[in-house]
Amino acid sequence: MIATWQAPLESGKDSEELLLSFDEGRDRRILILPALFDEANKMRRFTVQLMRRLNSAEVDCFLPDLPGCNDSLSPLSEQTLASWRSAVDAAAKQFGVTHFLSVRAGALIAPASLPGWHYAPQTGAKLLRGMMRAKIIAEREAGRDTSSDQMLTVGRSQGIELNGWFIGSAMLNQLETAEPVVGERITSVEQKALGGAGLWLRAEPDQDNAQSDALASIVLETLVTQS
Amino acid sequence: MNTDQASDCTPTGDKSGETPAEKDSGLPMNRAALDEELKSILADVLGIDPEQADELTSDSGLFGHLPELDSMAVAGLLTEMEDRLDIVIEDDDVDGEMLETYGGLLTFAESKLAEA
């Protein structure tokens, strides 16, 4: 269930990363693309609970850590959306997946060639805005004044640390304009389809099995329709 | 594949899509409706029941008083207020006073809606 995988880096080398998976060699295999940065922590339990539901419905699923995230030995500051997209493409090939499911800003790095689902997709600009806003609040609390414009000016050339996340300049530039990947076979599932409020809103990471079950049901319904 | 999966599903217990009638009619949201919506947003952020959120008063402490309400959580709260109240919150709007108590946040939201 917990293994590792080889993620390609921009340098041309590979980075060994952790992989959480339910792999029994079944026909339907879904690559799970996690929420990014702070939301990754908030959505982790929801995401793994969703995978457990899919597994019990005879669907294989794979949640690879991306370089720079969680226990990765590669620095986050060196990662970009483009390098993560390459890693995702490599993961899709290595695991032989048939579909993907992205959570929140995971939609920014989804493979356009595969059918799949974006759960509550978020644009890069909105993700960045939330992170910069948190930094502004924390800085003001510490008696220092700053603004989004100031942060963007610095970040575009030197990269910037936002609430403990080291965003390199290339990552920042890409996030500013990144949109959820579009494709004919990609379905967007909005939060209202799950009932209740999105768990990324919670001040503390939380779980809601009813929401994980609801998303699993939506995914499974589509899979049944397709087969 | 269906391109709009969400519309084919029957949401259960969904409150996030509701908007107060005042908003739908194009009239400014009144204080009671705004109070209800703001408490609902706080309930979602703090993970508390609507009944508990109902107990919030003007003096209830928020940022700096509730340890779980850190800067990331407040940023999420403000973004959700923008989405649900259809307002835009500028960097300069954000200060300790508006975030310190529930009353401060409500007054801020009211003034933003009046501007809109």
Side-chain angles (χ1 to χ4, degrees):
Chain A
M1 187 170 150
I2 294 178
T4 62
W5 72 291
Q6 296 297 322
L9 299 174
E10 266 178 357
S11 63
K13 292 181 182 162
D14 279 350
S15 176
E16 186 178 28
E17 304 294 348
L18 285 174
L19 166 71
L20 178 66
S21 65
F22 294 93
D23 183 5
E24 292 182 23
R26 293 168 289 202
D27 293 341
R28 293 176 303 193
R29 299 161 72 78
I30 302 181
L31 178 65
I32 311 286
L33 304 172
L36 302 180
F37 309 118
D38 190 62
E39 288 194 353
N41 298 332
K42 303 260 179 83
M43 301 309 287
R44 178 76 183 189
R45 196 172 176 86
F46 167 91
T47 304
V48 176
Q49 187 64 18
L50 167 75
M51 292 173 69
R52 293 191 180 111
R53 298 294 299 175
L54 293 172
N55 175 54
S56 63
E58 302 302 322
V59 174
D60 283 349
C61 34
F62 304 81
L63 174 60
D65 276 4
L66 295 166
C69 302
N70 297 339
D71 301 311
S72 178
L73 291 171
S74 300
L76 174 61
S77 57
E78 291 175 12
Q79 312 308 317
T80 64
L81 286 182
S83 71
W84 278 350
R85 282 188 197 112
S86 302
V88 166
D89 287 343
K93 282 200 189 87
Q94 283 179 39
F95 314 143
V97 295
T98 55
H99 297 77
F100 77 84
L101 188 152
S102 71
V103 179
R104 300 286 283 163
L108 306 176
I109 53 171
S113 57
L114 282 176
W117 301 262
H118 289 325
Y119 163 52
Q122 192 187 31
T123 65
K126 203 154 183 178
L127 172 69
L128 206 50
R129 184 145 184 248
M131 293 173 80
M132 290 195 299
R133 182 173 268 165
K135 173 106 175 177
I136 290 171
I137 293 166
E139 290 286 300
R140 290 209 178 139
E141 200 57 15
R144 294 184 292 266
D145 202 20
T146 185
S147 69
S148 304
D149 287 344
Q150 280 174 18
M151 281 189 260
L152 285 173
T153 305
V154 173
R156 281 174 191 143
S157 58
Q158 304 167 24
I160 189 169
E161 177 270 319
L162 294 173
N163 322 300
W165 305 97
F166 293 90
I167 311 289
S169 58
M171 174 72 94
L172 184 97
N173 283 299
Q174 291 172 17
L175 277 173
E176 282 192 81
T177 54
E179 294 281 334
V181 171
V182 290
E184 276 180 21
R185 299 182 298 166
I186 298 175
T187 303
S188 201
V189 181
E190 299 303 330
Q191 176 57 31
K192 62 186 175 196
L194 271 59
L199 292 172
W200 61 85
L201 267 179
R202 293 285 165 87
E204 301 279 344
D206 207 345
Q207 69 181 100
D208 185 338
N209 290 348
Q211 287 198 29
S212 315
D213 290 356
L215 183 53
S217 298
I218 290 167
V219 167
L220 293 168
E221 265 172 40
T222 320
L223 286 175
V224 168
T225 317
Q226 285 173 344
S227 57
Chain B
M1 185 186 287
N2 186 342
T3 54
D4 187 12
Q5 183 75 49
S7 64
D8 287 340
C9 303
T10 309
T12 51
D14 172 36
K15 289 195 173 66
S16 59
E18 287 176 9
T19 49
E22 291 84 353
K23 202 176 166 191
D24 287 345
S25 66
L27 295 170
M29 194 184 285
N30 66 35
R31 192 173 176 110
L34 175 60
D35 179 51
E36 192 180 327
E37 188 69 12
L38 201 52
K39 280 178 176 161
S40 159
I41 296 171
L42 272 163
D44 292 339
V45 170
L46 297 172
I48 56 176
D49 296 330
E51 295 76 35
Q52 287 174 278
D54 246 356
E55 291 168 9
L56 288 166
T57 66
S58 295
D59 296 332
S60 299
L62 298 177
F63 187 52
H65 298 266
L66 302 174
E68 68 269 41
L69 204 57
D70 59 11
S71 58
M72 265 325 286
V74 170
L77 167 72
L78 297 179
T79 304
E80 191 69 4
M81 283 172 62
E82 288 185 315
D83 290 348
R84 287 209 224 166
L85 304 175
D86 200 18
I87 56 176
V88 176
I89 301 173
E90 310 289 348
D91 290 352
D92 290 343
D93 294 333
V94 182
D95 64 39
E97 200 181 330
M98 70 171 274
L99 296 170
E100 196 185 346
T101 61
Y102 179 71
L105 195 63
L106 183 61
T107 304
F108 167 75
E110 234 177 352
S111 68
K112 273 283 152 188
L113 279 168
E115 276 175 27

